[in-house]
Amino acid sequence: MKALRTLIIITILFVITPSLTIAVTHGTIKGQATDLETGEPLPGASVMIRGTTRGGNTDAQGFFTIADVAVGGYVLEVRYVGYEPVVKTDVIVRSERITTVNFGLREQAIEIGEVNIAPRYFAATEDKPVGTTHLSREEIRRAPGSVGDLSRVLMALPGVAKVNDTRNNLVVRGGSPLENGYYVDGMPVSNINHFPQQGSSGGALGLLNVDFIEDVQFYTGGFSVAYGDRLSSVTDITLREGNRDEFDGQLDLSVLGAGAQFEGPLGERGSWMVSGHRSYFDLIIREANVEASTIPNYGNVQGKVCWDVSPTHQLEMLQILGLDHSRIAKSLALENREDTYGRGDWSSYAGGMGWRWMWGKRGYSRTTLSRSRVGWDMEWPKTKNDSLLDATQSTEAEWTLRNTEHVILNDHWRMNSGIEGRLLTADNNTVYGAHLDPFGSEVPEIRVAGEEQSVKLGAFLAWQWRPALRWRLTFGSRLDYFDYTEHTTVSPRLQVDYDWTASTSFTAACGRFQQSLPLVLLQQNSTFRDLTDPSADHYILGMRQLLSANTQMTVEVYEKRYSNMPLDPATPSLFVIDESYREGGFSGHTALTDNGRAFARGVELLIQKKLATQLHGVISGSWSKTQYRGCNKVWHNRRYDNQLMFTVEGGYKPNRNWEFGVRWVFAGGVPYTPFDEAASVAAGEGIADENRVYGDRLPNYHALDVRVDRRFHFRRTNLIVYLAAWNVYNRENVAGYSWSELDNRRTESHQWGFLPAFGLEFEY
């Protein structure tokens, strides 16, 4: 009832509040312009607010200030002699607040017979890798159907499969949730989600505070040798600094929870920011005295501190903590015909310290010392007979020391190098109850217990050669060693870029990507140490075309060839690495081989329009095919093979107070294995038809999400109110088929139907 009353009040505010907004209030824009490659300040750069006469020049340290700017959204342009102009959209000015906007400019190449002075709307990266998408904080915050969850925003991009609305697992270019890596401010993080899955990178909901994000680089293939131990993708997240000039606060309320965040200066040489959020589903259920089948609650705390030791040395500290809990009572599981009950507790931590040293025109280095930890404490019995399905009390943690260096040798040569060392610890105490495998064979109870400590070492070196004005050649390799398996791997990679014209470029890349198996799998049998590490060879061709100054089209063709994938001879037609989609993660295995193979190939199209005036949007489409070969030497579709995907996402911002967003997603149905009905009825649980492994497909998926934002600018405070709805036309998208052990029949589960949401952000 309280949530309903709140939603009614918000709706009324949307209708009657135009008269409540103060006529015009003002804020300030501050920031810094630096060389993209070296981080060196650019004094005397011109900073202008497009469409106005407001602007200024940077000082000796590259800083600029534009004061008394009317509230609203703006586009900023920076120009500096000898550098490519850069434009940033979505610069939001708020009442009595400081908006910080930093620019990295690339040196301008001198064209013969052509002078390119068009501003760059799309963020430049140092090596322009293929398969890269850049997202700003505002693009993430306002995305329909995401509720501030970064992973759900990335799902709108080509090459990311549509899995299930209730989870935010990323499946990139025919991979699995196991194959993704995350970095936050240069520090590796095991998982960035609430309710994390063991042995995988997925979860239920994003853990990171979107308001703390500066930008995101999402690499879907062919990524740099600076990133190792991942087969499919890397998400590199940069958090912003806190306000260095004043104290700011913000209170949040949404359908997902409530929270607060604060930030401010740390003396004259630093800043700090901290936030905390908690869900309130359990509080509402408890107060309303309503019995619910599942009662989840979760919360998180995050903080960052920055300190300038000198103009060329900066330290930063980062802390991220997430705590999650869920329980299902047996009586309610019986009432709702659910096959399992029990409880689960999850904990996630990531934090550390980073040191950035800028060498002037020679380059820079970055050194981080970090720790990442995930813990699970769960017990899930079967409802029909109380037999144990699985139980675990496990923690996995790692300390990482990482150093990377970017060196400019001359106009033609660049060098990137780095070393890293990881200390891994795992305390695993897991019981997999006796059960039938998917095809009806009996599997005895398996217990996995033990403490392990191991070391991973890595080093990489990459050279970028510019032999001619329009050509760039990047080649390098990384070396990795894992003492738990005593394996050493070498991963060479190559990329060639050619700028045909000022608006058209081509890229080709190939390379080997290798990843060690997760400890939760390796610990199940001592012989698994001898399994060869899985690898994937990437081959990519891409084209980038500027359709206009603020609209870019990217087309890519790719192929991935997997080798040395683990297989279980007991289930010769299944692919072990795809088991991570299950709620319990990897099940128990007594024997594995390493002769599994797979491939993924596809074509992707992405058209992205920045918010230069009133419209912004993304159109993405992809066709793909991905299969694996099991122990039986037969090729099958992989579980996440959508084949065809299409997404249209866009927004309209008519003025400084209103914004409208919409997203429509279509995805081909994923493969599934139908049940052997007669065998399932006889066994009392689901038995898959071994002759039709992933041979059938679910119905196609499609859904429409919408969002409306309303901003209120008062004299010294600001309020953002939004209303959103997922699956507006209430499409019954099938999530899958399962076998009800209580009713001894096949059941159909659905993804989210029509789901309204709301949110408030109050800034002071």
Side-chain angles (χ1 to χ4, degrees):
M1 292 300 295
K2 286 186 175 181
L4 179 60
R5 288 198 298 269
T6 303
L7 185 58
I8 293 173
I9 292 172
I10 294 171
T11 304
I12 294 173
L13 284 173
F14 262 68
V15 176
I16 69 171
T17 49
S19 61
L20 300 179
T21 305
I22 302 300
V24 177
T25 53
H26 296 79
T28 301
I29 302 175
K30 287 189 173 184
Q32 186 182 27
T34 59
D35 185 292
L36 178 68
E37 289 192 90
T38 67
E40 189 177 23
L42 300 178
S46 172
V47 184
M48 295 296 298
I49 302 177
R50 303 193 81 181
T52 74
T53 58
R54 301 296 308 280
N57 295 319
T58 57
D59 61 17
Q61 297 301 317
F63 292 102
F64 67 91
T65 300
I66 308 175
D68 295 323
V69 181
V71 296
Y74 295 96
V75 177
L76 260 62
E77 180 177 335
V78 175
R79 290 180 178 268
Y80 189 71
V81 176
Y83 285 76
E84 298 176 359
V86 173
V87 169
K88 280 204 174 182
T89 63
D90 295 307
V91 178
I92 307 299
V93 177
R94 299 153 295 172
S95 301
E96 296 298 319
R97 302 268 289 198
I98 296 173
T99 300
T100 301
V101 185
N102 296 316
F103 294 87
L105 280 70
R106 184 191 296 276
E107 283 194 81
Q108 172 74 51
I110 301 175
E111 292 278 4
I112 299 176
E114 178 182 3
V115 179
N116 176 23
I117 58 174
R120 179 189 294 275
Y121 276 79
F122 295 89
T125 56
E126 292 171 6
D127 54 359
K128 294 180 68 176
V130 293
T132 304
T133 302
H134 173 272
L135 295 170
S136 68
R137 176 172 66 253
E138 188 65 15
E139 288 173 322
I140 297 168
R141 186 199 66 80
R142 70 183 178 213
S146 68
V147 291
D149 185 343
L150 173 60
S151 296
R152 295 181 191 275
V153 177
L154 298 177
M155 288 177 182
L157 300 176
V160 183
K162 184 63 183 176
V163 182
N164 192 316
D165 290 337
T166 64
R167 308 292 294 182
N168 65 2
N169 298 320
L170 292 181
V171 176
V172 181
R173 289 186 173 178
S176 74
L178 172 68
E179 302 173 26
N180 310 310
Y182 299 96
Y183 289 78
V184 180
D185 282 347
M187 305 176 194
V189 176
S190 302
N191 200 303
I192 61 169
N193 300 300
H194 286 293
F195 304 98
Q197 291 178 293
Q198 190 172 10
S200 179
S201 64
L205 188 69
L207 173 64
L208 295 178
N209 182 352
V210 171
D211 285 320
F212 281 6
I213 294 177
E214 178 71 24
D215 60 44
V216 175
Q217 296 284 347
F218 182 48
Y219 304 95
T220 59
F223 43 87
S224 164
V225 292
Y227 306 106
D229 208 26
R230 285 297 179 265
L231 295 178
S232 284
S233 80
V234 168
T235 305
D236 197 336
I237 304 163
T238 301
L239 302 185
R240 66 179 176 86
E241 294 187 11
N243 195 320
R244 289 182 174 235
D245 297 284
E246 63 183 19
F247 172 83
D248 287 332
Q250 179 174 312
L251 303 178
D252 304 315
L253 176 67
S254 74
V255 69
L256 298 177
Q261 64 186 56
F262 308 98
E263 59 186 286
L266 190 63
E268 296 181 353
R269 300 167 66 178
S271 67
W272 62 272
M273 59 183 183
V274 63
S275 74
H277 289 82
R278 189 194 190 280
S279 66
Y280 51 73
F281 297 131
D282 57 320
L283 303 179
I284 294 176
I285 291 170
R286 188 179 299 119
E287 183 173 332
N289 196 27
V290 174
E291 289 189 336
S293 176
T294 304
I295 307 176
N297 65 75
Y298 50 88
N300 59 73
V301 177
Q302 300 168 48
K304 181 177 178 177
V305 174
C306 295
W307 180 258
D308 296 334
V309 180
S310 72
T312 57
H313 294 270
Q314 184 185 65
L315 297 177
E316 56 187 18
M317 291 186 293
L318 173 68
Q319 302 289 325
I320 302 171
L321 173 66
L323 298 173
D324 316 310
H325 172 76
S326 180
R327 68 178 177 86
I328 306 173
K330 181 179 179 181
S331 59
L332 294 174
L334 283 167
E335 182 179 332
N336 291 280
R337 315 309 293 167
E338 297 185 25
D339 286 334
T340 60
Y341 69 97
R343 52 92 194 164
D345 290 279
W346 299 256
S347 62
S348 304
Y349 170 81
M353 176 176 289
W355 166 39
R356 184 180 175 92
W357 178 14
M358 290 169 286
W359 309 334
K361 295 185 179 297
R362 295 180 300 137
Y364 64 87
S365 69
R366 188 172 194 173
T367 304
T368 59
L369 175 63
S370 61
R371 184 172 187 261
S372 181
R373 177 191 179 277
V374 183
W376 300 267
D377 184 359
M378 300 178 291
E379 184 174 355
W380 305 106
K382 290 189 174 184
T383 308
K384 70 175 182 179
N385 56 15
D386 296 325
S387 63
L388 183 66
L389 181 64
D390 59 67
T392 183
Q393 288 182 319
S394 300
T395 59
E396 295 180 4
E398 62 180 50
W399 283 95
T400 303
L401 178 62
R402 191 168 188 261
N403 170 264
T404 60
E405 298 183 350
H406 177 69
V407 183
I408 300 175
L409 301 175
N410 52 48
D411 291 341
H412 298 285
W413 288 93
R414 308 286 193 271
M415 183 185 75
N416 290 290
S417 63
I419 56 174
E420 62 183 29
R422 300 189 183 189
L423 175 63
L424 283 70
T425 58
D427 184 359
N428 195 357
N429 186 4
T430 300
V431 179
Y432 301 98
H435 62 283
L436 300 180
D437 72 17
F439 304 113
S441 298
E442 293 186 358
V443 179
E445 179 182 273
I446 298 176
R447 292 180 176 268
V448 181
E451 297 183 21
E452 298 290 346
Q453 182 171 292
S454 57
V455 173
K456 285 186 177 181
L457 301 175
F460 67 88
L461 177 64
W463 297 89
Q464 185 183 90
W465 178 36
R466 300 177 179 177
L469 185 62
R470 302 185 182 187
W471 289 90
R472 288 176 303 281
L473 177 68
T474 304
F475 55 96
S477 184
R478 69 174 290 127
L479 179 72
D480 290 283
Y481 171 75
F482 187 17
D483 79 333
Y484 184 85
T485 60
E486 298 183 349
H487 291 167
T488 300
T489 59
V490 179
S491 306
R493 298 169 198 176
L494 171 67
Q495 178 171 315
V496 179
D497 298 280
Y498 175 64
D499 296 330
W500 186 31
T501 68
S503 58
T504 307
S505 63
F506 297 92
T507 301
C510 62
R512 171 152 293 189
F513 299 79
Q514 302 184 89
Q515 180 175 346
S516 57
L517 293 171
L519 284 173
V520 66
L521 187 60
L522 290 173
Q523 286 183 296
Q524 293 179 19
N525 191 313
S526 60
T527 63
F528 293 174
R529 296 172 184 247
D530 299 326
L531 296 173
T532 304
D533 292 340
S535 66
D537 294 333
H538 293 205
Y539 304 91
I540 306 170
L541 291 174
M543 181 193 76
R544 297 175 187 265
Q545 175 69 52
L546 280 178
L547 303 179
S548 69
N550 56 65
T551 305
Q552 176 178 269
M553 179 180 69
T554 303
V555 180
E556 292 191 9
V557 180
Y558 68 89
E559 178 157 348
K560 292 164 65 176
R561 300 175 184 172
Y562 289 86
S563 305
N564 307 122
M565 306 300 286
L567 299 174
D568 190 337
T571 52
S573 57
L574 296 184
F575 205 49
V576 170
I577 215 71
D578 286 347
E579 288 184 13
S580 62
Y581 79 91
R582 299 182 181 180
E583 293 297 321
F586 293 99
S587 61
H589 296 276
T590 57
L592 290 176
T593 67
D594 58 9
N595 59 347
R597 293 174 57 192
F599 73 84
R601 61 177 65 104
V603 181
E604 298 175 357
L605 168 70
L606 176 65
I607 300 175
Q608 188 176 12
K609 183 186 186 306
K610 295 290 186 177
L611 181 58
T613 52
Q614 295 180 320
L615 295 172
H616 62 86
V618 171
I619 299 176
S620 69
S622 62
W623 173 88
S624 63
K625 183 177 182 179
T626 176
Q627 293 186 331
Y628 69 89
R629 192 186 71 176
C631 280
N632 56 3
K633 308 301 181 183
V634 177
W635 288 89
H636 303 277
N637 296 317
R638 285 190 73 172
R639 172 174 172 76
Y640 307 107
D641 181 28
N642 285 113
Q643 288 193 331
L644 183 64
M645 292 185 292
F646 181 76
T647 299
V648 179
E649 180 179 318
Y652 173 58
K653 193 170 184 178
N655 53 50
R656 61 189 176 94
N657 295 327
W658 291 91
E659 185 167 2
F660 305 88
V662 62
R663 177 169 71 179
W664 186 75
V665 179
F666 173 89
V670 296
Y672 76 96
T673 304
F675 292 109
D676 183 326
E677 298 278 346
S680 298
V681 171
E685 56 185 276
I687 305 299
D689 188 340
E690 196 164 7
N691 296 318
R692 299 166 64 189
V693 173
Y694 292 121
D696 290 1
R697 288 184 176 271
L698 298 178
N700 295 333
Y701 173 100
H702 55 86
L704 176 68
D705 305 324
V706 298
R707 173 168 169 152
V708 181
D709 287 63
R710 175 71 164 94
R711 293 179 182 268
F712 303 97
H713 307 283
F714 306 108
R715 293 194 186 278
R716 295 185 179 275
T717 59
N718 303 274
L719 175 65
I720 302 175
V721 184
Y722 71 81
L723 290 176
W726 293 5
N727 196 357
V728 172
Y729 50 80
N730 200 26
R731 159 84 173 180
E732 286 193 349
N733 289 301
V734 178
Y737 304 107
S738 58
W739 194 269
S740 171
E741 296 183 8
L742 294 177
D743 299 327
N744 201 23
R745 63 180 179 85
R746 193 190 80 160
T747 60
E748 181 179 280
S749 59
H750 296 94
Q751 304 193 45
W752 281 335
F754 173 72
L755 183 64
F758 70 91
L760 298 170
E761 297 176 10
F762 178 67
E763 303 170 336
Y764 62 91

